[in-house]
Amino acid sequence: MTLPLGRAMLTWGMAEKTGRVDRYRGGWRIRLPGGLDLYSHRGVPFETRRDGERVLTALRERLVRGELLVNVVDDFRAPRRAHHTVERWARRCLEDFRRRVARGDRSPQYVAELERWAADHWRPIYGTTVFELDTSHVVALERALEDRGLHPNTVTKCLGGLHRVLTFAEENLPTRRGFRVPRFPRRAHQLHRPTVPTVELRDRVLQLIPEDRRGIFLAMRLAIRPGEARAFDVGDYDFGTHVLDVRHGMHGQSHAAPRGPTKERTWRLVEADAELAAWLEAHVPPAR
């Protein structure tokens, strides 16, 4: 049946005669008038004849509503390859995360890690589109990272960052594109075993720190994170009860970094020990 490529109001009986599903090079093809064929290996996926018939039915329904055949087919065609490589989606995801950092929704340290992985670690799959990506690509990338001698936890975190990029792509692509994040390999996280100094060594180190700079280290001795200790303001300490209000953290390495919630967005009260309380009394004016 020859169908004009312009607007044509069709009945359902006429639309049913438009197009057919044929075998094509190990896959399937939807034959349409004007050479506007659709293929199972490009665009909207249809891996079986039944899937192809469903796509064709959806296309026919839009023709019956009076839509142009060329416009309908264009919606079912494959997206432009250059717009959907892993590299392009990584770039878009990072731009979104930088905006989140600016409004305090993301840690700049985490985004800095993503930027480092994007600049180097993910490059082996950058030329692949997200539609072509499958578990085999992820496994090959995992082995390539391991062959570089990276720490197992670094490989795990790097793959986790890539998974977030692909999730971002899935969230922002139209559902009709059919993209789903491929299955990632399960990896065990190796627990870090820190070197814990003895009480005697810790006290010797504190004694070597100048008196006027010792306060933050006395606070960290109470299991307060460095970022939390740097975020303290005079209003976060009760000089009467000697209690620290831990609800903020510095989101960066400098004093110019934004001050926001703690890493886990939690809030707790910590009682200062005698040494820290004495230091605060001596070095922090209550009215400051």
Side-chain angles (χ1 to χ4, degrees):
M1 174 183 177
T2 302
L3 185 71
L5 302 185
R7 184 175 299 277
M9 298 299 294
L10 303 180
T11 65
W12 181 250
M14 296 172 60
E16 281 187 315
K17 300 177 182 178
T18 303
R20 68 177 187 269
V21 180
D22 293 336
R23 275 283 188 185
Y24 181 80
R25 294 184 180 178
W28 299 92
R29 172 176 60 180
I30 299 177
R31 298 299 304 272
L32 293 166
L36 301 175
D37 298 347
L38 297 173
Y39 299 88
S40 59
H41 60 289
R42 299 196 296 268
V44 176
F46 48 98
E47 298 178 355
T48 64
R49 178 181 291 276
R50 178 176 294 182
D51 291 340
E53 293 290 352
R54 289 171 179 165
V55 173
L56 183 56
T57 298
L59 187 147
R60 289 167 174 169
E61 288 173 348
R62 292 180 59 176
L63 292 179
V64 171
R65 293 199 297 266
E67 297 187 47
L68 300 177
L69 177 61
V70 289
N71 292 345
V72 174
V73 171
D74 190 58
D75 281 348
F76 285 89
R77 285 193 184 281
R80 293 181 61 183
R81 177 183 180 84
H83 290 179
H84 294 286
T85 60
V86 175
E87 181 178 14
R88 289 289 290 269
W89 276 108
R91 194 180 307 161
R92 293 174 190 144
C93 183
L94 284 171
E95 290 172 357
D96 179 73
F97 271 46
R98 292 186 192 106
R99 286 192 291 269
R100 297 188 186 195
V101 169
R103 62 176 185 256
D105 290 345
R106 283 288 176 180
S107 163
Q109 284 88 353
Y110 176 61
V111 177
E113 280 192 319
L114 290 178
E115 290 173 337
R116 185 170 66 253
W117 299 330
D120 179 44
H121 296 56
W122 300 336
R123 282 191 174 278
I125 61 171
Y126 266 179
T128 306
T129 68
V130 293
F131 305 108
E132 299 168 326
L133 203 64
D134 59 29
T135 301
S136 66
H137 294 93
V138 181
V139 172
L141 176 63
E142 176 189 34
R143 291 171 180 167
L145 294 174
E146 291 174 341
D147 290 343
R148 291 174 56 175
L150 299 177
H151 191 279
N153 288 353
T154 301
V155 177
T156 300
K157 292 173 67 177
C158 181
L159 292 180
L162 177 62
H163 190 277
R164 183 66 192 92
V165 168
L166 298 181
T167 301
F168 175 83
E170 183 179 17
E171 292 168 348
N172 287 274
L173 278 167
T175 55
R176 61 184 170 80
R177 295 296 189 197
F179 171 65
R180 293 291 182 270
V181 179
R183 185 184 296 273
F184 272 58
R186 294 184 179 274
R187 295 181 56 88
H189 186 82
Q190 294 188 7
L191 295 179
H192 174 60
R193 297 181 181 275
T195 301
V196 180
T198 63
V199 175
E200 294 78 10
L201 179 58
R202 182 195 65 187
D203 291 340
R204 285 170 54 194
V205 171
L206 284 173
Q207 291 303 318
L208 295 175
I209 298 172
E211 169 66 24
D212 60 341
R213 302 183 62 185
R214 198 173 296 172
I216 189 171
F217 300 98
L218 295 173
M220 289 190 292
R221 191 171 61 177
L222 303 176
I224 293 173
R225 289 190 179 91
E228 296 169 345
R230 289 172 49 226
F232 279 137
D233 195 354
V234 67
D236 297 323
Y237 179 64
D238 189 320
F239 284 86
T241 61
H242 306 303
V243 170
L244 289 161
D245 187 345
V246 187
R247 66 175 67 199
H248 295 103
M250 296 299 287
H251 294 179
Q253 300 299 322
S254 71
H255 291 292
R259 180 175 182 259
T262 61
K263 185 175 182 179
E264 282 86 14
R265 296 181 179 272
T266 56
W267 169 65
R268 67 190 189 279
L269 298 176
V270 177
E271 184 175 1
D273 60 14
E275 193 172 358
L276 176 58
W279 188 92
L280 291 170
E281 291 285 350
H283 294 276
V284 180
R288 183 177 175 182

